[in-house]
């Protein structure tokens, strides 16, 4: 799950449950609970540039052998360049 966030930049979390019911069902960087204050998203808030990367595009997952990867396009909005980030799942 991801959030477009003008303060923290895009923030992406993962869930191990099939049907998450609350924010505490999601984890971020280092396994922190998304419901905990200061829990940074996977790859860091805004993928390390929160003031630049504030919007998410449609993401895709790809499996390479035993590893899974999330590819996600992010931008700062209209008229800004799009970057594609790969996050290991």
């Amino acid at each position: 799950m991801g959030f477009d966030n003008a303060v923290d930049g895009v923030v992406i979390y993962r869930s191990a449950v099939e049907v998450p019911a609350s924010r505490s069902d999601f984890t971020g960087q280092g396994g922190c609970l998304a419901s905990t204050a200061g829990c940074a998203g996977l790859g860091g808030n805004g993928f390390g540039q929160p003031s630049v990367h504030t919007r998410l595009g449609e993401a895709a997952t790809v499996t390479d052998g035993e590893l899974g990867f999330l590819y996600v396009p992010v931008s700062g909005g209209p008229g800004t360049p799009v970057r594609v980030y790969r996050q290991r799942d």
Side-chain angles (χ1 to χ4, degrees), residues 8-85:
D8 295 328
V10 296
V11 183
I12 297 177
Y13 299 107
R14 86 168 43 127
S15 176
V17 298
E18 191 169 322
V19 182
S22 69
R23 193 168 179 154
S24 62
D25 290 334
F26 295 92
T27 58
Q29 197 169 39
C32 64
L33 292 177
S35 59
T36 306
C39 179
L42 301 174
N45 293 345
F47 289 97
Q49 296 182 325
S51 63
V52 175
H53 302 128
T54 59
R55 297 187 182 193
L56 293 168
E58 189 169 332
T61 58
V62 176
T63 302
D64 181 18
E66 294 183 13
L67 298 176
F69 296 94
L70 171 69
Y71 289 85
V72 59
V74 296
S75 76
T80 62
V82 174
R83 291 187 176 180
V84 176
Y85 285 87

